Amino acid sequence: MHEAFVSLRAEAIRKWEERQQSTIPRILVGSATCGCATGALDVITAIEQKLQETGIKAHIQQVGCIGMCYAEVLVDIIKPGRPRISYKNMTPETVAELLEDYLLNDNPRPDLALAVIGEGEVEGIPNLADEPVFKSQQRIVLKNCGHIDPESIEDYMAQDGYMGLVKALQMQPQEIVDIVTKSELRGRGGAGFPAGRKWNSCLRAAGDQKYVICNADEGDPGAFMDRSVQEGDPHALIEGMTIAGYAIGASKGYIYVRAEYPLAVVRLKKAIEQAKEKNLLGENILGSGFSFDLEIFQGAGAFVCGESTALVMSIEGKRGMPRPLPRPRTTEAGLWNKPTLLNNVKTFAYVPQIIHKGADWFTSTGTEGCRGTAVFALTGKIKRSGLIEVPMGIELGKIIHEIGGGVLNDRKFKAVQTGGPSGGCLPESKLNLPVDFDTLVEAGSMMGSGGMVVLDETTCMVDVARYFLQFTLEESCGQCVPCRLGTLQMLEILNEICAGKGREGDIELLVELGKSIIASSICGLGKSAPNPVLSTINYFRDEYEAHIKDRACPALVCKDLIKYSIDVEKCSGCGLCRKNCPTEAITGGKKEPHVIDQVKCTKCGICYDVCPDRFRAVACFTGKEKAAV
Amino acid sequence: MATVKVNINGMDVQAEEGMTIYEVAQSLGIYIPTLCYHPDLSTFGGCRVCMVEANGEEVTACRAPIKDGMVIKTDTENVSQMRLINVELILTNHDQDCQSCARNNNCKLQEVSAFVGVTPERMQRLRRVITNEVKDISNPIFQRDFAKCIVCGICVRTCEEINGIAAIDFGFRGYKTTISTLGDKPILESKCESCGECVERCPTGALVVKGQVIPEREVKTVCAYCGVGCGLILGVRGSRVVSVRGDRENPVNNGHLCIKGRYGFDFLNHPERLKTPLVRKGGVLTEASWEEALSLVAAKIKEYRDNFGPDALAALASARCTNEDNYLLQKLFRSLGTNNIDHCARL
């Protein structure tokens, strides 16, 4: 068995090295879904065109996402004898210019460059490893994303790929489970349940047939970590699941992936085929006698199917509704009532490296109780949005200010929302907290699957709570009363508060309802749905009070509570606001002060935005000021 | 069956292992409010109104099995508060015109609301949220009024578990969740057999018989439609049969009925219904007394047997008679000397 693998691996490394030593330049384009959405495919077309026009020979390679969304489209160029240079925000025009300058004339264009990746120096271009965005990151799960060709098993094998599986196949199942237990790996789906305990329980469960399921139903708005792993490094997931299958004695695995991730589905399918071709998956893997088959199951778009029991029902062809307690554990009676091991994409993706490098290697990162790294999708009002991987225990503020580069447009930080729609909002005073499963829960939020949305001073916290609640209430399975109707009731109250119709006692009512929904809902969705409301009330109660008592929205967001007005003293009658107003609510002659017709005004704020800085004649009012204008 | 000891509301009791908290409480006469529980069906656990405290944790009494040494409290402040809020939430989403509702005074939601202590003061704090005002009147017998549906799923389980049809299931998501047929078509276009088992079990006025009249008294009888002989309880108003329900104590049907037995009673009050035997006189069927009709039949039987032998006779029994009637018929004809006996159900 080992010999067969050794030759496969040697061949993969040989091809990889050959490519590194290539005499023609290589162009890597980040073309995961995120890259494609920013125009990576157009950039690739432009590159192909330019190469044809100029006759330059180069090899174009599509790679996964390296995580720097703010800099997409990313194009990396590796010229023979030169380090790999990553170029940011490429467009068809700039990339054509770059190819001409760098490949024809050897000008590396430091003005377009983001950084040098890996070893080597280029004058005027910093090294990515020294940049604030990368300095504090540590990449385990994302280590291959953006570096290898996700559609090539050989690329993966050249980076220690499938070494974990080979090692595992030479061990007893219990030994593998023991390593996972010793690594203190906790499930990355959100709750942080110890993976070793789950694996052990599944190994011990009696059953002629067992299943491994990967929960890739990543549904949180603003979260895309699992997609990135599937699109950028699908073999890591497949290898992790195969090891799990061997460890618990399962012969069949399912990847439950959102149908909204078509590229992930394509790449996973391809990866499964490749692994089968190389006998790293399928019948009698590497002659070990162990057989494991993987099937992709596409979810139909229900957020609640990310809940394990609902997910299992969905695969069984039933309506995805979480099973109420008391119920048997999924590890004992899961899919088709057989023992089932269900873990998140990232959890499985850690496993090959843990087996390959050992439990101690993994526990050397992170904190006591929370080992390894955490992957976050950093979005919102942040300068450097993207996918980051940091050691557990890193300070929350460091993520935002160092890695993220601080708040967009240098506005004032207000809060950070972690854990997706089920998480909570943490204020500035909590930025010194270490990021791990338990600390975030204590602070009233959660790690969840890893969404992290930064909010600035222009964000209304009541409105934010309303946004997240709207999401969960629409995604409730509708089974239990508190979740189905309680969240709806809370939303109605928030709608009225935002419309200036809030009543005395509404804040207390929201807290009362929220606590009851948490206590009496069936599943995690209902039990966490009120979190955005409760945490914003906890940390930003004054904003709720301003809405209710003063009919004021301090962040000037809630349309029913604000009013735009033009200062006749300051207005020079330039007409910009009048021309841009979508509802023709603004009137005024040339060089005469303009006036807003409040009946026609939809409070879109365009006039405020377009009024030139030298006049600043448009102002927005709320509360008492609004009444006075 | 092994017994276990539990303490419920301070009382030490013994109960059979495998029973749920709800079943134990009920056997002791302790009331726990429920909306989605039904003794004939599997448990659902969705209404969250039967929450009780067991060993310090809040659980649904309908699903939680008892364990030895379990300490159960059915009326703590916490569970009372949760039940109250959950019932209030249902009411915010419920058509509350109780007076005109066919289920008035026979409504589980009214019963539970009263028990948990819903008050106008507390309700005023909440917002009305009507999510579904659709009425499905496609079925000639019963109607579905979604403004009164509390999505307890009793109808869904009834259709699947009692009648084995599964014509309905949960449809849509979140607060739009409703009970739906395949493709959300009107119930008449679904595979519903109109057996009415769901209508019978609906805890609110969401499923009611059209033009329902409340009987003044009830009479026990056996269904005359087929040989199964289901036990019926007829609801009578004056001299008119106005409703039928299954007799849960009848061992034949345990309360279940089919569409004919439950809803096919209009013929009882039909003007053309036969109330006396008819005898053909001069080619015309004429009303006759039982005495006259039976005497004629006896005379004819005797005449044919004497003239042509007993095998000139034959009897055809009816599926609409009871088993006992059919038994007696064959007994009579065998005693007359013939085995020529048949039954319409054999065809």
Side-chain angles (χ1 to χ4, degrees):
Chain A
M1 170 179 76
H2 202 231
E3 274 165 31
F5 180 75
V6 166
S7 65
L8 280 178
R9 181 170 145 78
E11 175 66 9
I13 293 177
R14 189 187 62 75
K15 284 191 183 162
W16 174 265
E17 287 301 329
E18 205 175 271
R19 194 141 24 97
Q20 305 308 311
Q21 308 303 328
S22 161
T23 52
I24 59 165
R26 289 197 297 136
I27 303 170
L28 314 183
V29 185
S31 53
T33 301
C34 43
C36 293
T38 21
L41 297 180
D42 293 338
V43 169
I44 291 174
T45 314
I47 296 173
E48 282 167 348
Q49 239 169 20
K50 191 72 193 173
L51 294 180
Q52 211 172 11
E53 274 170 29
T54 53
I56 310 171
K57 273 200 175 157
H59 176 74
I60 306 171
Q61 189 184 330
Q62 295 194 27
V63 291
C65 167
I66 199 166
M68 291 177 284
C69 301
Y70 66 100
E72 301 235 55
V73 174
L74 281 159
V75 174
D76 294 8
I77 300 182
I78 310 162
K79 258 178 100 167
R82 289 272 206 160
R84 169 178 170 188
I85 307 173
S86 188
Y87 292 93
K88 62 186 173 187
N89 304 115
M90 286 287 111
T91 61
E93 293 76 36
T94 52
V95 83
E97 211 179 290
L98 170 69
L99 292 180
E100 191 155 329
D101 287 345
Y102 189 29
L103 294 186
L104 275 182
N105 303 322
D106 208 30
N107 169 9
R109 290 295 300 268
D111 57 316
L112 298 176
L114 173 78
V116 167
I117 296 178
E119 286 170 13
E121 276 177 28
V122 178
E123 207 186 320
I125 305 177
N127 194 296
L128 188 62
D130 303 328
E131 285 289 279
V133 66
F134 243 78
K135 217 165 52 188
S136 309
Q137 292 203 45
Q138 186 179 345
R139 299 217 158 185
I140 297 177
V141 167
L142 301 178
K143 80 174 172 90
N144 287 336
C145 292
H147 298 294
I148 64 165
D149 177 356
E151 299 194 2
S152 157
I153 190 170
E154 290 181 320
D155 266 26
Y156 177 69
M157 289 180 75
Q159 328 289 322
D160 295 347
Y162 288 101
M163 296 280 277
L165 175 64
V166 169
K167 195 170 165 190
L169 290 176
Q170 291 163 343
M171 290 194 258
Q172 290 301 313
Q174 184 66 54
E175 287 177 68
I176 301 169
V177 172
D178 289 344
I179 294 176
V180 175
T181 308
K182 207 173 147 223
S183 75
E184 296 174 47
L185 174 67
R186 290 173 68 171
R188 276 356 191 218
F193 189 82
R197 220 189 297 166
K198 206 185 244 186
W199 287 39
N200 202 34
S201 153
C202 216
L203 170 63
R204 296 192 177 283
D208 50 343
Q209 172 74 56
K210 295 180 186 179
Y211 295 103
V212 176
I213 299 178
C214 172
N215 184 348
D217 190 45
E218 185 175 47
D220 288 6
F224 46 87
M225 303 73 58
D226 296 349
R227 175 178 61 73
S228 209
V229 172
Q230 292 170 81
E231 289 178 356
D233 197 13
H235 283 286
L237 170 59
I238 291 168
E239 187 184 352
M241 289 184 75
T242 313
I243 294 172
Y246 178 71
I248 65 154
S251 59
K252 172 103 190 174
Y254 288 89
I255 303 175
Y256 189 95
V257 57
R258 309 181 60 171
E260 295 94 329
Y261 283 177
L263 186 61
V265 172
V266 167
R267 292 204 168 145
L268 283 170
K269 275 190 182 154
K270 211 168 255 183
I272 289 173
E273 275 169 34
Q274 290 173 347
K276 280 185 180 166
E277 267 169 36
K278 300 248 186 268
N279 194 219
L280 294 163
L281 188 66
E283 293 293 319
N284 190 13
I285 294 173
L286 292 173
S288 63
F290 167 65
S291 299
F292 187 70
D293 190 26
L294 263 181
E295 193 176 312
I296 293 172
F297 190 98
Q298 295 189 45
F303 178 69
V304 73
C305 286
E307 199 274 349
S308 58
T309 56
L311 187 152
V312 164
M313 283 179 88
S314 174
I315 295 183
E316 288 175 355
K318 298 173 189 153
R319 177 183 167 91
M321 299 216 283
R323 279 203 243 170
L325 289 167
R327 61 179 183 223
R329 286 176 200 279
T330 306
T331 49
E332 284 153 18
L335 185 62
W336 316 115
N337 271 328
K338 302 286 181 190
T340 303
L341 176 73
L342 194 147
N343 275 133
N344 170 269
V345 174
K346 295 179 292 296
T347 318
F348 282 125
Y350 279 112
V351 169
Q353 295 185 63
I354 291 175
I355 300 297
H356 176 52
K357 298 176 185 166
D360 294 338
W361 164 81
F362 190 71
T363 51
S364 65
T365 307
T367 61
E368 185 92 20
C370 290
R371 303 297 188 186
T373 52
V375 182
F376 287 105
L378 190 56
T379 56
K381 306 283 180 64
I382 186 93
K383 280 188 184 151
R384 290 195 284 264
S385 58
L387 208 56
I388 61 162
E389 185 169 358
V390 288
M392 286 275 187
I394 191 172
E395 243 179 50
L396 193 50
K398 201 168 181 181
I399 294 180
I400 291 158
H401 292 297
E402 188 186 302
I403 299 174
V407 180
L408 202 63
N409 299 328
D410 292 320
R411 288 212 171 100
K412 203 166 165 291
F413 172 88
K414 190 177 216 172
V416 56
Q417 211 276 352
T418 69
S422 320
C425 293
L426 301 175
E428 186 142 30
S429 63
K430 299 284 171 190
L431 286 187
N432 57 353
L433 288 182
V435 170
D436 61 53
F437 288 108
D438 312 311
T439 314
L440 288 182
V441 170
E442 269 168 44
S445 185
M446 63 200 272
M447 188 120 98
S449 58
M452 191 176 272
V453 187
V454 177
L455 310 170
D456 70 6
E457 58 190 332
T458 64
T459 315
C460 167
M461 298 313 286
V462 186
D463 188 53
V464 161
R466 190 165 68 139
Y467 168 80
F468 283 109
L469 193 66
Q470 174 96 38
F471 179 86
T472 35
L473 89 102
E474 285 184 359
E475 292 296 340
S476 159
C477 80
Q479 186 177 201
C480 72
V481 170
C483 181
R484 181 178 79 243
L485 294 174
T487 53
L488 180 62
Q489 182 64 223
M490 287 179 83
L491 182 78
E492 285 294 315
I493 296 168
L494 290 177
N495 280 343
E496 289 195 7
I497 292 177
C498 288
K501 293 175 190 159
R503 304 181 206 157
E504 194 82 24
D506 272 352
I507 301 178
E508 292 73 19
L509 178 58
L510 284 170
V511 174
E512 186 184 327
L513 287 171
K515 285 185 176 164
S516 181
I517 293 167
I518 289 172
S520 66
S521 287
I522 287 179
C523 79
L525 192 152
K527 284 186 180 300
S528 58
N531 280 352
V533 183
L534 296 183
S535 71
T536 47
I537 289 179
N538 189 16
Y539 294 120
F540 301 93
R541 198 185 175 99
D542 52 333
E543 276 195 47
Y544 280 82
E545 279 169 355
H547 279 74
I548 295 169
K549 289 186 185 145
D550 309 329
R551 305 286 184 232
C553 175
L556 304 175
V557 170
C558 297
K559 291 199 169 153
D560 290 316
L561 300 179
I562 59 168
K563 185 176 179 180
Y564 286 93
S565 174
I566 299 172
D567 188 336
V568 287
E569 302 284 316
K570 292 180 180 169
C571 179
S572 70
C574 73
L576 257 181
C577 56
R578 175 169 42 83
K579 285 174 207 150
N580 282 290
C581 177
T583 57
E584 297 180 351
I586 302 177
T587 50
K590 241 183 193 172
K591 308 228 164 155
E592 279 172 18
H594 283 37
V595 183
I596 300 175
D597 180 344
Q598 296 298 335
V599 178
K600 286 186 185 167
C601 176
T602 57
K603 297 165 185 176
C604 65
I606 289 177
C607 53
Y608 182 88
D609 293 336
V610 298
C611 184
D613 275 348
R614 60 182 189 279
F615 305 131
R616 292 225 142 269
V618 182
C620 186
F621 300 96
T622 187
K624 281 186 193 128
E625 286 177 355
K626 177 189 168 215
V629 173
Chain B
M1 182 69 84
T3 58
V4 293
K5 281 183 193 159
V6 295
N7 180 293
I8 182 161
N9 293 346
M11 287 186 284
D12 284 318
V13 293
Q14 290 212 331
E16 274 179 29
E17 199 177 359
M19 284 175 92
T20 63
I21 295 175
Y22 182 81
E23 286 163 344
V24 174
Q26 211 183 24
S27 71
L28 296 167
I30 296 171
Y31 180 78
I32 296 175
T34 67
L35 285 169
C36 68
Y37 172 82
H38 195 285
D40 298 345
L41 306 171
S42 64
T43 54
F44 179 59
C47 73
R48 317 308 275 175
V49 172
C50 71
M51 304 289 277
V52 295
E53 193 188 292
N55 290 343
E57 271 180 51
E58 275 102 27
V59 296
T60 44
C62 71
R63 282 182 67 91
I66 50 164
K67 286 179 195 153
D68 198 32
M70 197 180 238
V71 179
I72 302 157
K73 292 174 189 162
T74 66
D75 205 27
T76 68
E77 202 176 310
N78 259 354
V79 298
S80 301
Q81 175 77 0
M82 262 189 256
R83 287 173 185 170
L84 175 59
I85 289 179
N86 288 337
V87 174
E88 285 172 343
L89 287 171
I90 293 172
L91 291 174
T92 61
N93 188 236
H94 187 79
D95 177 353
Q96 290 174 35
D97 186 7
C98 291
Q99 290 307 316
S100 69
C101 179
R103 198 74 73 177
N104 194 22
N105 292 330
N106 181 25
C107 169
K108 197 83 182 155
L109 185 55
Q110 283 179 334
E111 172 197 307
V112 169
S113 300
F115 182 82
V116 299
V118 171
T119 63
E121 292 74 33
R122 280 183 60 88
M123 285 305 292
Q124 267 165 15
R125 308 180 309 157
L126 300 167
R127 279 47 162 187
R128 291 281 292 152
V129 279
I130 300 302
T131 50
N132 195 343
E133 287 184 291
V134 173
K135 242 187 199 183
D136 177 4
I137 54 165
S138 65
N139 189 299
I141 301 164
F142 62 86
Q143 65 179 36
R144 304 157 80 210
D145 184 351
F146 290 98
K148 290 176 183 165
C149 175
I150 60 169
V151 200
C152 65
I154 285 179
C155 53
V156 174
R157 279 171 284 149
T158 300
C159 198
E160 188 175 337
E161 296 169 20
I162 303 282
N163 211 24
I165 297 297
I168 44 175
D169 203 340
F170 295 94
F172 307 96
R173 226 183 275 168
Y175 60 90
K176 291 178 189 147
T177 304
T178 186
I179 307 303
S180 170
T181 60
L182 182 66
D184 203 29
K185 296 238 171 80
I187 190 82
L188 198 64
E189 293 172 36
S190 75
K191 55 179 181 172
C192 165
E193 293 183 341
S194 306
C195 69
E197 291 290 344
C198 58
V199 179
E200 198 70 20
R201 286 179 180 76
C202 179
T204 70
L207 289 171
V208 290
V209 172
K210 284 178 176 174
Q212 184 178 307
V213 176
I214 295 171
E216 102 211 0
R217 66 197 159 93
E218 290 188 320
V219 177
K220 250 188 187 185
T221 187
V222 175
C223 180
Y225 267 108
C226 77
V228 173
C230 294
L232 300 185
I233 295 177
L234 303 179
V236 184
R237 189 151 170 166
S239 59
R240 218 155 41 99
V241 174
V242 294
S243 68
V244 173
R245 63 187 181 91
D247 182 359
R248 292 181 69 89
E249 287 166 12
N250 187 305
V252 171
N253 60 324
N254 294 316
H256 306 158
L257 290 176
C258 72
I259 177 174
K260 291 191 213 169
R262 193 187 307 277
Y263 298 124
F265 58 85
D266 281 359
F267 74 92
L268 292 173
N269 303 319
H270 199 279
E272 287 176 21
R273 182 183 163 200
L274 294 182
K275 289 175 182 155
T276 65
L278 299 177
V279 171
R280 203 178 298 274
K281 291 178 182 167
V284 181
L285 286 168
T286 315
E287 286 194 0
S289 69
W290 281 108
E291 180 66 39
E292 184 189 348
L294 288 174
S295 301
L296 179 67
V297 171
K300 289 278 184 191
I301 285 175
K302 194 166 181 298
E303 183 189 325
Y304 278 94
R305 195 179 63 157
D306 292 350
N307 292 343
F308 306 106
D311 277 339
L313 298 172
L316 185 64
S318 169
R320 297 197 55 171
C321 300
T322 63
N323 282 338
E324 292 79 0
D325 290 341
N326 281 320
Y327 175 80
L328 290 173
L329 184 78
Q330 62 85 25
K331 192 85 178 162
L332 173 68
F333 273 74
R334 287 194 213 283
S335 70
L336 291 171
T338 181
N339 289 326
N340 293 339
I341 299 151
D342 212 338
H343 187 279
C344 68
R346 199 183 65 83
L347 297 175

